[in-house]
Structure formats: structure tokens, C-alpha cells
Amino acid sequence: AVLLKNTDDALPLGRDTSVALIGEFAVSPRFQGMGSSAVKATKVETTFHQISKYTKQLRYAKGYNREIAGAEIDEALIEEAVTIAESARVVIVFVGLPEISESEGYDRQHLNLPAQHDALIDAVCRVNRRTIVVLTNGGPVAMPWIGRPRAVLDGFLLGQAGGRALVDILFGAINPSGKLTETFPLKLEDVPSNFCFPCEGNRAAYREGLDVGYRYFSSPSPDLPAVLFPFGHGLSYTSFVYSDLEATVVKDEERDKHIVIKFRIRNDGAVAGSEIVQCYVHKQESTVFRPEIELKEFAKVRVNPGEAKDVVLTLTSDSFSIYDVGYSKWVVEPGLYDIRIGASSEDMRLATTIQLKNGVVPSRAAQETSTPRQHTSTRVFQTDAFQQQHVQVGPLHRNCLLVDTQDTWLGRILVALTKSMAIRELRQGLEGDLTEKDLKMLDANVKNIPLRCLALFGKGRISFRGVDTIIAIMNGQYWSAFCLLCFGKRSGDGQNKK
């Protein structure tokens, strides 16, 4: 879990605090993903039942229907939540993304929580300023209400014992130490890949180059948008002081680098805690395009109140190298490198500079493939430039997806048959009926099956010869399909071997 916000030390809560617990996720948690990541839990621990360890003064309101992910608003459920929130000392609101919002097989179309969840937070915060939001989600979400609650704790998907873990954090038995593994943007439009993804058809175009996540948002351009929470962010119930940074170049050979980073971290708070320290590298005056900062090492350090510990990190050639497309190998460009130690990608505490004298000057091809970053903006492939490099899709082959075949009459039949068989097999493994979220995931997964998998996972129903025959028909190569069906090889295969 990651503590994202904690204004005026709203957390941890004291024992026997009067609590209004709001949100169906508190009694029926979403603790795992769908599809291949789903397991049958032995015992699911909920916040509603676990919170009794710390307080008996508890009232609960459902707040929303956890299966609804759209724009519907149920005012009756919000009014019920507001009623119990007014009389409680503290309100804990559990909100997040339902299973149908995110799964393997398909992408989220936006960063929003269900409309009911956002409306619920707004309504509760209006009547009780001591509101704490607990999130359940598999990735970043937009938080238009972020200025209203006193604290925000992101539990993500914590597993079957997640209810107990969240309660222990909320009441201080556990000091949170989690850090974000991705940037939380303010809105989807701020993400550099948003203008080109998803692409037309069924092809993903990676036009942002190296500017992914914090590598983009940490760029020096003045026109870059602010973020909601940066990569590596995460609060604690204590505070840490960083000091005494030293960087020693132990070995500086062309292909073998060894740099020792040493600094001290002190716990200035009243409780023990763990800090995840992060080491970033910045190349001064790089002749090739590379991000402003690159995370190269990190460590989790447990420190008692008033205690100070030395932290030692090691950087090697891999920490400084780039892949040179001209030389077709990894190289380290000689020069000055900044070593930055931070609590997140935007919270740098210490910095120093080292010089690597031995290395390889990048080739002209490497320098021209991606030009060095200009200080005014970041480089993103625009449509015309990208189209010049784009490889047009050719005839269907074994690695094409089922969805690629839907322009053909046989492909549409193949998709329908495969989906029918998948539904039949899924029903055999379920105790109840298929739900909307089950069908959505199944439809996406079936359409994204590579054609070769029809033979691999077909349980003998179809061979690779059969797959190749179907592909030939869909490509309009009817004579090749006839030869494959009758003789086991394509027309002209013998001549090609000669």
C-alpha cells in the first residue's frame, strides 16, 4: 500500500475512534485481477470485520454498487452515507475500480473512477472534513477531489489478507513504506502516448520513444504538465533526513565500471519506519537522446527513531550504458554523470557528480537516430515522421491475431467458433452464470489470440497444417490452401527448396 496524502497527520487513527466506514469494497473487497491472475482465495479478510480490533464505534454505509462502473448516480446511497458521516469523528471511504474496468485482454479507456465513487467522496467531504479515502485499483486513477480528503491511502490489489493489512496501516500498527511504481498524471491528456494510442485498427504505435512515465514528466521542458503524484512517491508516519553523499569511482575501464555510492539516512520521527531510497543518473551534455533522469538503483532501509544508517549502493557499466545502433552493442559514453539520491523522481535530496574517462563515443548512427533533447520540449514522433517508418501490414500469417481476420468471411466464422468454445469451457470452471465482466474479458482475449495458438491450445481439434490452410484461404491463396489440405505443403514448396 502507498500513503499518497496525509494532511496534518490525519493518519494513523487512535484506538476507539468513532468511524463511519463507507463503500462496498470495505465488506466485499476487490483484492485481485481477472483472468489468469485470479485464484480461489482460502479466506478473504475484510476491513469491515478487521477494524473491530481497534474500535467498536463503527457504522457502515454501502455507498455504491461495486459492479457498476459507469456514469449512473444513486442519490439514495449517497444520502445514507452522508447521514452516518455527519455523526462520526472520522470517515473512511473505500472507492476504486470494479473488475470490469480493468483486466487482461483489453485496455482502460480513461482514468476516471465510477461517477458514483467521485460523487460519494465529494458529498462526504462536504459534511465531514476528517475524511480518509482508501483506493482499490490496478493502476493510476484521476482524483478531481484530491484537495478535499485529509488523507489518501492506495491499497491497489492487496490479496486475500488485504483487509487486515489496511486496518493495521490506518491505525498505526504498521508504518506504510510503499512507493509508486508509476506516475499518476492529473489527466489522461497529459500522457505523451495519448494522442497516438490506441491506434487505428489493431496495431500499437510506440511513438513516445524513451519518454515513458517519469522519464517524460521529469524532463526540463517548462511546458510539461504537473503530475498528481510522481513515480517513487510514498509517505510515512515518520520523516527521514538524507546526508553525507559520497560517490567513488572504483573501476573505470571501457567495458567494466564500478562506482560505490554511500550516504546516510536518519529517522527524525517518533516511530520506526522503512524508506525506499532511489538513485537516479543524469548524463551531462549527452550526444545521444536519453531521458533527463534514469532510475538505476534503489534500496529499502529500516531505521528506528533517532537512528542513522549508512546506505551503500553499487553502480556498474549497465547503469550508464546505451545501446548504440551503429556499433550494435551497449556502450558507455565518457563524460560527467550526475548522481542524484531521492525519495521520489521529483523529490531529490542529495546530488553529486562523477567523471567516467574511459568509454566509447557514440556512433553517428546513434546520434542521428534520436537527436539530443532540446531544453524547450521533449521529442515525440509526430504522425508524418512516424508514418515514414511504419511498416505496412502484409498478408495474414500465424502470428496475426484473430481480430485481424474479421475482414474475411472465414475469419468471422473462426472468431465466432473460437468464442463459442471458450464460453463453453469457461462455464465448466464456474460455479454460477457468466457475468458481464466475464464476457467482456473473454471477448477481448479471444480476439487477441494469435492464430498459431489455435493449434497450440486447440486440444487436437486443429493442427498447424489446418491453421495454415485456413490462413491461405483468408489470404485468397486458394490453390495453396488446396495443396496444404491434400498434400501437406504449399504450392511451389518443392521448387523453393531446390
Side-chain angles (χ1 to χ4, degrees), residues 402-419:
L402 267 177
V403 70
D404 297 327
T405 71
Q406 291 188 116
D407 290 337
T408 70
W409 63 270
L410 185 54
R412 290 189 288 274
I413 294 174
L414 192 61
V415 170
L417 287 174
T418 306
K419 186 175 179 180

Side-chain angles (χ1 to χ4, degrees), residues 220-269:
S221 173
D223 57 351
L224 281 180
V227 301
L228 182 60
F229 295 107
F231 171 87
H233 171 74
L235 303 177
S236 170
Y237 294 153
T238 188
S239 58
F240 301 96
V241 176
Y242 295 59
S243 64
D244 304 328
L245 174 62
E246 298 177 3
T248 305
V249 180
V250 178
K251 183 180 289 188
D252 184 14
E253 298 178 4
E254 180 180 312
R255 298 185 180 181
D256 190 5
K257 312 288 183 185
H258 187 88
I259 293 86
V260 175
I261 311 297
K262 184 178 180 180
F263 59 97
R264 175 160 290 197
I265 186 168
R266 185 177 75 250
N267 184 340
D268 260 11

